[in-house]
Amino acid sequence: MDSEATMIALVDVNNFYVSCQRVFEPKLIGKPVVVLSNNDGCVVARSAEVKALGIKMGAPWHQLREFAEQEGIIARSSNYALYADMSHRVMTILNRFSPNQEIYSIDECFLSFDGLPQDHTELGQEIRRTVLQWTGLPVCVGIAPTKTLAKLANHTAKKQAPFNSVCEWFKLSPGQQDAQMQSLAASEVWGIGRKISERMALEGIHTIADLRAANADQIRQRYSIVVQRTVHELRGIPSIELEESTPDKQQILCSRSFGQTIYTEQELGQAISTYIARAAEKLRKQGSVAGSLAVFIRTNPFRPKDPQYSQHILVPLTQASDDTLLLTRAALWVLKRIYRTGFAYAKAGVMLCDLQPRTAVQGHLFLQTADPIKRAALNKVMDDINRQWGRGSIRVASAGFNHGWKMRQNRESLHWTTRWAEIPIVKAN
């Protein structure tokens, strides 16, 4: 392998949500632990001990309670504030090791090792040790000349103990590489979904080795250029670039299932106003404005004996905006038109669409609006207060205060890193 060739590392936190919980609750180490989704509905993260018991991702928690009690499985509600903060800490540490970084997800990050003189495996071990020592989170590192092979190397590092959590693909012998690819189904490859893998199986492509050996031009004709790039990447030919800047979102969605069913327009209005405030804050953070807005409400489809109702409306705004007050007024106007009495509502949401840069907003000759400079200042003050004192510290009046519909999180842990009152206290003699 050419020592000057492109080299990419994929750093991935093991069982991220569970590992974050264990950092502040050491009693969970070695125990079977699951993290549950919104409203404690289903399993969204599992410890290795739970995986060994055969519990699948997405398993409904109410069907597992008896089995969990028998096996001593410990459940925690999702604590997204904790996970976001821990993710930020990990990504900040990883940025110290390479100036070229792509944050792929909350627990995964690609790093370019181009031009770094240090032995790559030793550098991977240094990354692993540093992240563990500074955050308490275990990571695995896969190193290869392409992003797809780096994912595969990371999988190898995670599953095979002799690698000590770091695998450099081209330090494997050709025989080891072949054996690894033959042992894994094509559906395990990054970017190959279930439907594509089912089609491939009909054509005799069952394993990653089969996909690598396939005719790349025919793969493009039968599937897409994206799958062709995957074939090239499995052969060690870089075809997917590192994306160091995150593109702005094209839509911003905020929705939740309620912790209890609600019936009145006022309660729905509180939820819609709360969601709009969150969405508008994200909109301002990326420097965009919304040209249209959608609101939806629905009952619970899993209770078929109840009267069912679902409705949504998308409306264009007279002038694109990021103003929380203006967007709230528009959303409540939509809600009034889709709300119907006599239904038990289980979920609502808002979506901001037609996003565009704030600097590209076209003025409206006949529209009478509040002073945009004063409104921008007001929104900035609201964002600053909520950032410093916690989300919802200041809100529009229509969001209300008694949120009986709020998402159920009966097993939520403390916010050890994001609330002053809940920071861990260490006492030493």
Side-chain angles (χ1 to χ4, degrees):
M1 187 67 196
D2 183 358
S3 61
E4 298 299 323
T6 297
M7 201 58 71
I8 293 172
L10 174 67
V11 185
D12 176 30
V13 183
N14 303 342
N15 308 320
F16 181 60
Y17 290 180
V18 171
S19 295
C20 288
Q21 298 290 154
R22 284 174 164 171
V23 169
F24 298 95
E25 292 185 278
K27 65 183 180 184
L28 300 182
I29 295 173
K31 303 281 181 63
V33 181
V34 297
V35 173
L36 304 176
S37 63
N38 294 344
N39 290 314
D40 296 342
C42 60
V43 173
V44 294
R46 304 163 295 164
S47 67
E49 295 81 5
V50 169
K51 292 176 184 175
L53 290 171
I55 293 178
K56 304 295 184 186
M57 283 288 282
W61 178 241
H62 71 274
Q63 295 179 2
L64 290 173
R65 279 205 184 97
E66 188 174 340
F67 179 73
E69 194 169 323
Q70 293 172 1
E71 299 295 334
I73 296 173
I74 302 167
R76 291 286 181 266
S77 302
S78 298
N79 187 338
Y80 295 116
L82 171 67
Y83 309 147
D85 183 67
M86 294 298 284
S87 173
H88 176 72
R89 292 170 191 239
V90 171
M91 300 309 167
T92 302
I93 293 170
L94 296 179
N95 186 250
R96 298 166 63 97
F97 289 93
S98 172
N100 304 312
Q101 177 186 34
E102 176 188 337
I103 299 174
Y104 181 67
S105 69
I106 193 169
D107 62 346
E108 288 182 288
C109 173
F110 288 104
L111 297 174
S112 171
F113 278 3
D114 286 357
L116 301 181
Q118 191 173 353
D119 177 83
H120 293 152
T121 300
E122 177 51 36
L123 182 56
Q125 288 293 348
E126 186 179 344
I127 289 172
R128 185 187 65 79
R129 290 191 296 269
T130 304
V131 174
L132 182 63
Q133 183 177 10
W134 292 11
T135 68
L137 295 173
V139 302
C140 284
V141 185
I143 305 165
T146 71
K147 293 170 75 173
T148 304
L149 284 178
K151 293 275 283 188
L152 189 55
N154 187 287
H155 182 277
T156 304
K158 195 168 293 184
K159 299 295 183 184
Q160 299 186 27
F163 287 99
N164 193 22
S165 302
V166 177
C167 175
E168 191 171 349
W169 185 253
F170 277 109
K171 285 190 176 178
L172 300 178
S173 68
Q176 288 175 311
Q177 293 176 14
D178 289 343
Q180 187 66 15
M181 288 189 170
Q182 287 169 3
S183 68
L184 295 171
S187 58
E188 295 287 335
V189 177
W190 182 41
I192 303 297
R194 180 176 57 84
K195 290 185 178 179
I196 291 178
S197 63
E198 288 174 354
R199 284 178 57 194
M200 286 181 170
L202 296 175
E203 298 174 0
I205 300 174
H206 300 283
T207 68
I208 297 177
D210 293 336
L211 181 58
R212 182 185 59 175
N215 185 303
D217 292 333
Q218 291 179 359
I219 286 288
R220 177 173 180 169
Q221 291 173 359
R222 293 174 183 172
Y223 299 95
S224 67
I225 189 172
V226 175
V227 182
Q228 183 192 42
R229 286 175 183 155
T230 298
V231 173
H232 287 156
E233 289 245 321
L234 288 172
R235 295 171 182 172
I237 304 169
S239 302
I240 305 175
E241 295 183 355
L242 210 65
E243 296 180 3
E244 297 175 41
S245 60
T246 305
D248 287 341
K249 295 177 180 176
Q250 300 302 306
Q251 295 176 330
I252 295 178
L253 170 68
C254 187
S255 68
R256 296 284 188 280
S257 294
F258 303 134
Q260 62 184 41
T261 52
I262 62 178
Y263 298 87
T264 68
E265 183 183 349
Q266 181 185 13
E267 289 175 301
L268 282 171
Q270 290 180 357
I272 293 296
S273 298
T274 302
Y275 301 159
I276 275 287
R278 294 176 185 171
E281 185 176 347
K282 293 179 182 177
L283 189 65
R284 291 190 289 273
K285 189 174 182 180
Q286 74 171 29
S288 299
V289 293
S292 61
L293 172 153
V295 176
F296 72 87
I297 55 177
R298 70 163 172 77
T299 53
N300 187 347
F302 300 104
R303 300 180 66 174
K305 292 183 179 178
D306 291 350
Q308 295 293 311
Y309 177 71
S310 176
Q311 187 57 277
H312 77 278
I313 291 182
L314 171 71
V315 294
L317 299 174
T318 307
Q319 184 173 354
S321 176
D322 63 356
D323 180 7
T324 294
L325 300 184
L326 188 151
L327 294 172
T328 301
R329 190 180 307 131
L332 294 178
W333 182 88
V334 174
L335 174 63
K336 188 172 287 295
R337 278 146 186 82
I338 62 176
Y339 172 75
R340 298 290 183 272
T341 59
F343 294 98
Y345 292 97
K347 187 173 184 178
V350 300
M351 182 183 291
L352 302 180
C353 311
D354 299 329
L355 306 191
Q356 53 189 281
R358 184 187 297 129
T359 53
V361 176
Q362 186 172 0
H364 193 292
L365 183 60
F366 304 106
L367 187 64
Q368 298 293 323
T369 61
D371 185 333
I373 297 177
K374 289 184 177 178
R375 278 297 177 84
L378 174 63
N379 283 302
K380 183 178 185 307
V381 168
M382 292 174 63
D383 292 345
D384 290 345
I385 291 175
N386 286 328
R387 194 174 301 117
Q388 181 168 356
W389 300 102
R391 179 179 290 167
S393 297
I394 184 169
R395 68 190 84 171
V396 296
S398 58
F401 293 94
N402 298 316
H403 294 168
W405 45 267
K406 189 178 177 183
M407 185 172 66
R408 187 170 58 248
Q409 292 175 295
N410 296 332
R411 300 168 182 270
E412 189 181 26
S413 57
L414 297 176
H415 299 74
W416 296 286
T417 65
T418 55
R419 290 183 186 173
W420 285 108
E422 299 177 7
I423 288 179
I425 298 173
V426 177
K427 296 180 180 178
N429 295 323

